């Protein structure tokens, strides 16, 4: 389960952010809510959270200094001041959220964190249900029209804020079925999960490339899209 720390010298604002994060991302566990930079750094070192939501102007150490020392935790700044944005991204910030923070902006941030979060340990899709077999068709609604899509034609599935994006040819459709539920119904000999938020068709893969930092990305046949491979799934391409 992903974990996060919230550091803000205004306890009411920290509590509000914690409530909204819990509501929009139930799987996220809040491991601490320190009220100054020194406590924030100490708790980050002690708990090693996946994410730290940091105010910038805090007593003791400011959020920028905390971020520069918290090298193993991904930092999201939440501040009322926009003048620190360039320096924040120089500290490898994942996102920069301005107060007052709207639900829409927070949801976009959460979607990004979910896409980039480490995936769980399994390295392949579980077998499809023996009772029903792998799913072969999807129905996609657009206005008053319903389209029938053959699963074999799908290049990849990608989780979005509230839906799953189905990419077929030059078209992208949205369905309400969560990616984790689709994983149980797809044929594991045709589809493989390569990231917490991505399932790709093996037939659609052209090649897999490793960058200078050792990260893998999938290049697809006849498409410009590239797909990330998270560390938990690199074993699928261990021959590289």
């Amino acid at each position: 389960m992903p974990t996060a720390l919230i550091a803000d010298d205004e306890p009411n604002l920290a509590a509000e952010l914690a409530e909204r994060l819990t509501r929009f991302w139930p799987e996220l566990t809040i491991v601490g809510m320190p009220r100054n930079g020194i406590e924030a750094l100490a708790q980050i070192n002690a708990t090693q959270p996946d994410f730290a939501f940091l105010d910038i102007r805090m007593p003791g150490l400011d959020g920028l200094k905390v971020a520069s020392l918290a090298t193993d935790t991904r930092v999201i700044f939440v501040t009322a001041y926009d003048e620190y944005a360039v320096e924040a991204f120089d500290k490898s910030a994942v996102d920069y959220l301005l107060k007052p923070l709207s639900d829409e902006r927070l949801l976009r941030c959460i979607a990004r964190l979910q896409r980039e979060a480490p995936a769980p340990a399994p390295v392949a899709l579980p077998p499809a249900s023996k009772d029903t077999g792998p799913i072969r068709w999807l129905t996609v609604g657009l206005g008053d029209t319903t389209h029938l899509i053959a699963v074999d034609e799908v290049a990849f599935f990608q989780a979005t804020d509230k839906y799953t994006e189905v990419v077929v040819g030059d078209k992208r459709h949205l369905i309400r079925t969560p990616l984790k539920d689709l994983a149980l119904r797809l044929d594991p000999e045709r589809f493989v999960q390569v990231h917490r938020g991505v399932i790709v068709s093996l037939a659609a893969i052209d090649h897999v490339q490793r960058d200078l930092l050792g990260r893998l990305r999938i290049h697809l046949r006849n498409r410009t899209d590239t797909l990330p491979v998270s560390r938990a799934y690199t074993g699928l391409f261990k021959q590289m």
Side-chain angles (χ1 to χ4, degrees):
M1 289 293 184
T3 57
L5 173 143
I6 300 172
D8 196 315
D9 59 345
E10 293 289 342
N12 290 339
L13 295 180
E16 179 190 0
L17 178 57
E19 187 276 328
R20 294 165 75 188
L21 284 170
T22 301
R23 174 158 39 98
F24 295 142
W25 193 358
E27 297 83 7
L28 185 69
T29 299
I30 307 299
V31 296
M33 295 200 302
R35 295 176 58 178
N36 62 65
I38 295 174
E39 290 180 1
L41 185 59
Q43 291 190 29
I44 288 172
N45 289 335
T47 61
Q48 293 293 303
D50 297 306
F51 308 105
F53 291 81
L54 303 180
D55 191 7
I56 287 185
R57 294 189 179 180
M58 293 187 292
L61 295 174
D62 65 32
L64 294 168
K65 184 62 175 178
V66 174
S68 69
L69 298 171
T71 55
D72 294 328
T73 294
R74 311 203 69 188
V75 170
I76 305 94
F77 287 106
V78 187
T79 178
Y81 306 96
D82 61 2
E83 63 264 33
Y84 300 104
V86 173
E87 188 175 357
F89 286 110
D90 282 343
K91 304 294 185 186
S92 299
V94 179
D95 211 337
Y96 193 92
L97 307 178
L98 285 174
K99 303 174 183 177
L101 179 59
S102 69
D103 284 352
E104 180 183 1
R105 182 66 181 87
L106 180 58
L107 283 167
R108 290 206 305 271
C109 175
I110 290 172
R112 181 177 182 178
L113 299 182
Q114 289 175 332
R115 286 195 298 269
E116 298 178 0
V123 295
L125 296 182
S129 168
K130 293 182 180 179
D131 294 333
T132 58
I135 190 170
R136 298 300 183 192
W137 299 90
L138 294 170
T139 54
V140 178
L142 183 61
D144 296 329
T145 305
T146 298
H147 296 276
L148 193 63
I149 296 174
V151 171
D152 288 348
E153 296 178 1
V154 176
F156 64 93
F157 300 89
Q158 186 163 23
T160 63
D161 289 0
K162 297 180 180 179
Y163 303 95
T164 297
E165 189 175 50
V166 183
V167 180
V168 184
D170 61 351
K171 294 183 172 58
R172 295 172 181 265
H173 306 277
L174 294 178
I175 60 174
R176 293 183 179 274
T177 306
L179 195 73
K180 63 180 181 180
D181 292 346
L182 272 175
L184 298 173
R185 299 294 314 280
L186 293 171
D187 186 345
E189 294 185 1
R190 293 176 177 268
F191 291 89
V192 64
Q193 187 156 9
V194 295
H195 189 278
R196 179 190 183 97
V198 178
I199 295 174
V200 64
S201 165
L202 291 170
I205 298 175
D206 182 75
H207 65 279
V208 181
Q209 187 171 25
R210 190 184 301 274
D211 66 17
L212 295 176
L213 298 178
R215 298 171 300 194
L216 299 182
R217 292 198 71 86
I218 293 173
H219 294 255
L220 302 175
R221 301 182 192 279
N222 305 315
R223 300 191 62 88
T224 58
D225 305 82
T226 63
L227 304 175
V229 179
S230 62
R231 285 173 295 179
Y233 297 100
T234 55
L236 293 167
F237 307 98
K238 60 183 177 180
Q239 67 271 22
M240 295 185 63

